[in-house]
């Protein structure tokens, strides 16, 4: 007979920080998903593996680091950074820097544009995105506008 043991996530920085230096990217990614130390997350945002950079982007709160990651070579990192940036924006989303918003909605990857659409509240931007080349972005823009009306 086996007993189930409930294991809580490791949150102790003394344990997580050394794991962020591990030679295996999977360990670094797992550490990045739990770490809250801004300095360690910033370092992991430069990791050679996109999986680690994406995990770090999902936890980072520094807007400057997220802005840099929105220019990452990998679309998955850009998308995670865009989502985190917009979701974590302090204050009214209508005050989001128009240059950043413009960059996100013109990203070459449709998934980044769609992620941005799902978080945008500016109706003028959403109306423009109703004419995006990708049907999924157009559909997301229409749905976002529809939700804002009701």
């Amino acid at each position: 007979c086996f007993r189930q043991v409930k294991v809580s996530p490791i949150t102790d920085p003394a344990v997580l920080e050394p794991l962020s230096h591990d030679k295996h990217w999977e360990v670094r990614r797992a550490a990045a998903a739990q770490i809250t130390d801004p300095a360690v997350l910033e370092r992991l945002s430069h990791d050679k593996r996109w999986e680690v950079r994406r995990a770090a982007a999902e936890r980072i709160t520094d807007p400057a680091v997220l802005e840099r990651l929105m220019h990452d070579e990998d679309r998955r990192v850009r998308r995670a950074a865009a989502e985190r940036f917009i979701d974590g924006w302090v204050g009214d989303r209508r005050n989001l820097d128009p240059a950043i918003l413009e960059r996100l909605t013109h990203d070459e990857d449709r998934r980044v544009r769609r992620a941005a659409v799902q978080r945008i509240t500016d109706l003028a931007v959403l109306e423009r995105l109703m004419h995006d080349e990708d049907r999924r972005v157009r559909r997301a823009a229409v749905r976002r506008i529809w939700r804002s009306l009701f």
Side-chain angles (χ1 to χ4, degrees), residues 19-20 27 50 71 79 99 106 110 114 128 145:
L19 294 175
S20 72
V27 175
W50 68 265
H71 292 284
R79 183 175 63 217
H106 284 94
R110 66 178 164 80
R114 196 169 66 224
R128 178 176 54 78
I145 290 171

Side-chain angles (χ1 to χ4, degrees), residues 26-144:
E26 295 96 340
V27 175
R28 294 192 311 275
R29 180 187 61 191
Q34 296 296 318
I35 288 175
T36 57
D37 182 343
V40 177
L41 287 169
E42 200 279 331
R43 180 176 49 75
L44 289 170
S45 76
H46 294 281
D47 197 275
K48 62 184 175 188
R49 295 296 300 240
W50 68 265
E51 298 93 340
V52 177
R53 295 192 311 273
R54 182 181 66 187
E58 292 170 349
R59 305 279 298 170
I60 290 172
T61 57
D62 182 346
V65 177
L66 289 171
E67 282 187 57
R68 179 179 52 76
L69 288 172
M70 284 189 276
H71 292 284
D72 194 89
E73 64 196 39
D74 189 274
R75 65 177 167 75
R76 294 160 288 206
V77 175
R78 292 195 310 270
R79 183 175 63 217
E83 290 172 352
R84 182 72 171 164
F85 187 86
I86 294 172
D87 287 347
W89 189 253
V90 178
D92 189 347
R93 285 186 183 177
R94 288 173 289 183
N95 294 328
L96 187 63
D97 184 348
I100 293 171
L101 191 59
E102 189 72 13
R103 183 171 58 243
L104 293 175
T105 60
H106 284 94
D107 194 274
E108 66 188 47
D109 188 271
R110 66 178 164 80
R111 292 173 194 93
V112 174
R113 296 193 308 274
R114 196 169 66 224
V117 165
Q118 294 170 351
R119 290 159 175 80
I120 291 173
T121 58
D122 186 329
L123 286 176
V125 175
L126 290 170
E127 287 176 14
R128 178 176 54 78
L129 289 167
M130 286 175 43
H131 304 286
D132 191 88
E133 64 188 44
D134 185 82
R135 67 179 170 80
R136 292 179 190 127
V137 173
R138 293 192 304 269
R139 183 173 49 210
V142 169
R143 286 180 178 165
R144 188 77 174 126

